[in-house]
Amino acid sequence: MTGTPAPFTADDYQARMERAARAAADAGLAGVLVAPGPDLVWLTGYAPPAATERLTLLVLAAGQAPVLVVPTLEAPDAEKAAGAPALTLRDWTDGKDPYATTAPLLDAAGRFGVSDNAWALHLLGLQKALPGTSYVSLTEGLPMLRAVKDAAELERLAAAGEAADATYEEILKVSFAGRRESEVAGDLADLLRRFGHSQVDFTVVGSGPNGANPHHEAGERVIENGDMVVLDFGGLKHGYGSDTSRTVHVGEPSAEERRVHDVVREAQEAAFRAVRPGIACQDVDRVARAHITEAGYGDRFIHRTGHGIGVTTHEPPYMIEGEEQPLVPGMCFSVEPGIYLPGRFGVRIEDIVTVTEDGGRRLNNTSREMAVVH
């Protein structure tokens, strides 16, 4: 396992806030309004102590110093954030109107990008205080804001991928047959934490017919000899995401099971080899989908080929038909085609991939051949 990376500095956060303000101006927006959540952590290093109904809002606009509006009782925590030296704190006390504190920071007739998880309560409060303003979600208005990772972010994503790979190597050593899906899922979660994850986001264990549901929650089904088992797991390490899938078989697989697994593996390889700067996100999806369709399983590939990953395990860009955003060096996303045969079994193979100057690099490197477990 790689060591702990150096922490992000106030200069790092300042550069991100300046980039966000410039991106907003380039997109014709008056600024960016960021509520507690992954965007706020990425831009400032600040995560409020808990979800709260009290307004916390980062205001960014080109030509304007960044301001973080916070409740007075939470200001001491905000002051400790790594990005705090790069911004101004403006606090408000209980009993006062937080929107009266925030309104002077905003263009009264501006259109603002707002982080996706902002509370409707707060957005409506701002709209009431400034009826001339309008808003668009960041996913719609600035979808690529966090998409291109710098070297320090790539280091963290690589470490998370390495930990997920180590988890997979270890899970191959446990018993599957005769155990519940939930027990194997518990093993996966324990291993992710053992290898440095601070947060486990999902541990999908889809055995037999449950594998035909791409997002099956690990349940109480007892895994049997002869089952195909889809494993999909990930979370956060050093604040950045992991997400990998492999499909294993309990005992020797049938010829059909091997064929389906081979089709998915070949589709995943073809999509990975298509990755390079300048092609559209949808082209990655098209390559994987064409291979699976040619093999006769096109109607059984029922989800997008991939999603971005960073400070969250799912974020833009998305590898799906209609997404014309070109790939740029530093983008990171999953490549995860699958085939799902209802009532029988499913197969999915997934790696996180980053775009390089001349192609792509996998951040997951375990074998994509079908593993036989016991």
Side-chain angles (χ1 to χ4, degrees):
M1 293 287 106
T2 53
T4 301
F8 294 120
T9 67
D11 288 344
D12 293 325
Y13 291 113
Q14 181 176 355
R16 291 176 185 178
M17 287 188 280
E18 290 173 352
R19 191 206 310 177
R22 286 195 306 271
D26 291 345
L29 299 173
V32 177
L33 307 179
V34 185
D39 290 316
L40 187 62
V41 171
W42 183 76
L43 287 162
T44 69
Y46 177 51
T52 174
E53 75 282 0
R54 294 181 174 91
L55 179 72
T56 295
L57 198 69
L58 175 67
V59 180
L60 302 176
Q64 179 178 312
V67 177
L68 181 62
V69 177
V70 294
T72 300
L73 79 168
E74 293 173 9
D77 290 320
E79 290 170 351
K80 296 174 187 174
L87 50 78
T88 298
L89 290 181
R90 188 161 299 181
D91 66 318
W92 61 276
T93 57
D94 282 358
K96 303 292 185 181
D97 182 358
Y99 308 109
T101 300
T102 309
L105 305 173
L106 275 57
D107 177 347
R111 182 169 176 79
F112 293 86
V114 183
S115 51
D116 295 1
N117 55 339
W119 284 29
L121 171 72
H122 298 150
L123 201 56
L124 292 169
L126 282 175
Q127 213 159 27
K128 184 176 180 181
L130 295 169
T133 55
S134 59
Y135 306 92
V136 61
S137 73
L138 284 185
T139 287
E140 181 181 346
L142 294 175
M144 295 299 113
L145 181 61
R146 301 194 325 247
V148 178
K149 275 63 180 179
D150 61 25
E153 293 182 291
L154 288 172
E155 179 186 2
R156 286 162 169 78
L157 283 160
E162 184 183 2
D165 283 357
T167 294
Y168 176 66
E169 296 288 2
E170 288 298 311
I171 204 68
L172 294 180
K173 301 174 185 177
V174 310
S175 295
F176 280 73
R179 301 178 69 213
R180 292 182 174 85
E181 292 173 339
S182 57
E183 293 177 277
V184 176
D187 291 340
L188 286 169
D190 291 345
L191 287 165
L192 285 168
R193 294 189 183 96
R194 185 206 298 177
F195 292 118
H197 278 61
S198 59
Q199 177 177 311
V200 175
D201 286 350
F202 47 87
T203 51
V204 172
V205 180
S207 65
N210 288 341
N213 174 1
H215 281 173
H216 169 70
E217 294 286 341
E220 296 309 297
R221 183 181 184 275
V222 175
I223 301 169
E224 301 173 357
N225 191 56
D227 279 347
M228 194 83 91
V229 185
V230 177
L231 305 173
D232 183 350
F233 49 94
L236 300 183
K237 178 176 180 174
H238 305 317
Y240 280 74
S242 69
D243 185 1
T244 189
S245 301
R246 296 290 185 263
T247 303
V248 303
H249 198 276
V250 186
E252 286 301 315
S254 68
E256 181 191 17
E257 289 168 331
R258 283 198 180 278
R259 178 174 183 270
V260 171
H261 190 278
D262 284 346
V263 169
V264 174
R265 179 176 52 77
E266 291 160 3
Q268 205 264 356
E269 176 70 18
F272 165 69
R273 291 191 177 279
V275 172
R276 62 184 182 277
I279 73 161
C281 291
Q282 66 181 3
D283 291 336
V284 179
D285 181 84
R286 286 174 175 178
V287 169
R289 206 165 296 278
H291 186 84
I292 289 174
T293 299
E294 185 179 348
Y297 296 100
D299 61 341
R300 304 271 48 99
F301 180 14
I302 55 177
H303 56 71
R304 64 197 176 203
T305 293
H307 58 81
I309 190 168
V311 292
T312 56
T313 47
H314 290 74
E315 62 186 47
Y318 297 104
M319 306 302 115
I320 186 64
E321 183 66 32
E323 180 50 81
E324 298 179 351
Q325 168 68 40
L327 300 187
V328 176
M331 280 183 176
C332 293
F333 49 85
S334 65
V335 176
E336 51 176 307
I339 292 174
Y340 307 94
L341 305 180
R344 301 184 63 207
F345 64 89
V347 175
R348 183 165 63 258
I349 300 172
E350 173 185 17
D351 296 322
I352 299 302
V353 172
T354 183
V355 184
T356 64
E357 293 298 329
D358 57 1
R361 174 169 67 96
R362 283 187 166 105
L363 300 186
N364 295 108
N365 293 291
T366 55
S367 172
R368 284 163 286 278
E369 299 291 337
M370 188 195 302
V372 174
V373 297
H374 62 277

